[in-house]
Amino acid sequence: MVVLATKIYVEGDARERALDSLRSLVGNDIGDLDVEFDIGLREDDFPSVTVAGDDETVARNLLREEWGAITPEFEDGETYTGTLEAWDDDGFVLDAGEDVRIPADGLGLGPGTPEQVRTRFGLVQHVPLEFVYDEEEGHELAAATQDRLFDWTRAETGRVNVNSATRAEVRATVNRAGHARDIVTVERLGLLEQSIVCREETDPPGLLASIGQYVPAELLCVVP
């Protein structure tokens, strides 16, 4: 079994749509392998994928690589994935099956308070982030995560990050608001966390204002 490092925290019909979307995505990830899979949902909203078949080891490894995995134990110096649950003046709190605090000096994302850093990089709540575990010295965001976020702010185009919606739902919302030609793509950050990549001539705050009325979610801009 693999517990995926992404959360299904919406309720009602949205929860069922999210589960359907996850089944489709997992099927795309491992559908060519000789396995059968079943998806469950833990009480903490992390989905679990049970895999059986001749290629089950390969399938589990693919899922861990694609989604990150929630593990019952941690080892110093190893990299894990958690979802951004809270932030305060002291740093970020990630949910990696248990709360893991990333101190402010372990964010590695430049000056400012953790709240300012979160806003500058468009880190919507629940977005998955990789971190390096170190119980004695203090945990820190993984270098690959830091690099990816800095790349967002150095790009020629901006972004609008969204939570509480699948990639298909965000695409439909952009189309409904009449902005299909104003974006490059919608990147999946987690199951319910997406990043709308704008075209060079598109103003991210303007796009946010336009689509915000259609999306009951948190939206944050990344402006290069």
Side-chain angles (χ1 to χ4, degrees), residues 61-119:
N61 289 337
L62 282 173
L63 292 173
R64 292 186 184 101
E65 181 179 349
E66 179 67 22
W67 296 91
I70 299 301
T71 62
E73 298 179 352
F74 302 98
E75 294 184 13
D76 284 347
E78 295 297 321
T79 299
Y80 302 93
T81 304
T83 59
L84 178 61
E85 297 304 304
W87 49 90
D88 54 31
D89 290 342
D90 295 324
F92 289 175
V93 176
L94 306 185
D95 187 350
E98 63 181 64
D99 286 350
V100 175
R101 175 171 286 278
I102 311 296
D105 61 4
L107 299 178
L109 296 175
T113 66
E115 169 63 24
Q116 290 170 334
V117 167
R118 185 185 86 90
T119 302

Side-chain angles (χ1 to χ4, degrees), residues 71-192:
T71 62
E73 298 179 352
F74 302 98
E75 294 184 13
D76 284 347
E78 295 297 321
T79 299
Y80 302 93
T81 304
T83 59
L84 178 61
E85 297 304 304
W87 49 90
D88 54 31
D89 290 342
D90 295 324
F92 289 175
V93 176
L94 306 185
D95 187 350
E98 63 181 64
D99 286 350
V100 175
R101 175 171 286 278
I102 311 296
D105 61 4
L107 299 178
L109 296 175
T113 66
E115 169 63 24
Q116 290 170 334
V117 167
R118 185 185 86 90
T119 302
R120 183 165 69 247
F121 289 95
L123 298 178
V124 292
Q125 190 177 25
H126 306 301
V127 65
L129 298 171
E130 289 188 332
F131 65 95
V132 178
Y133 188 87
D134 192 327
E135 190 169 9
E136 288 191 9
E137 299 296 329
H139 318 305
E140 59 185 25
L141 289 183
T145 293
Q146 296 172 5
D147 291 344
R148 179 182 58 154
L149 297 179
F150 276 123
D151 285 345
W152 288 359
T153 62
R154 294 166 180 159
E156 295 182 358
T157 61
R159 294 169 176 263
V160 176
N161 292 344
V162 186
N163 68 9
S164 303
T166 65
R167 187 168 182 258
E169 289 170 341
V170 171
R171 280 186 173 276
T173 297
V174 170
N175 292 341
R176 180 183 179 188
H179 290 287
R181 296 185 178 181
D182 298 325
I183 73 168
V184 176
T185 189
V186 178
E187 291 183 4
R188 179 170 57 80
L189 304 179
L191 178 63
L192 294 173

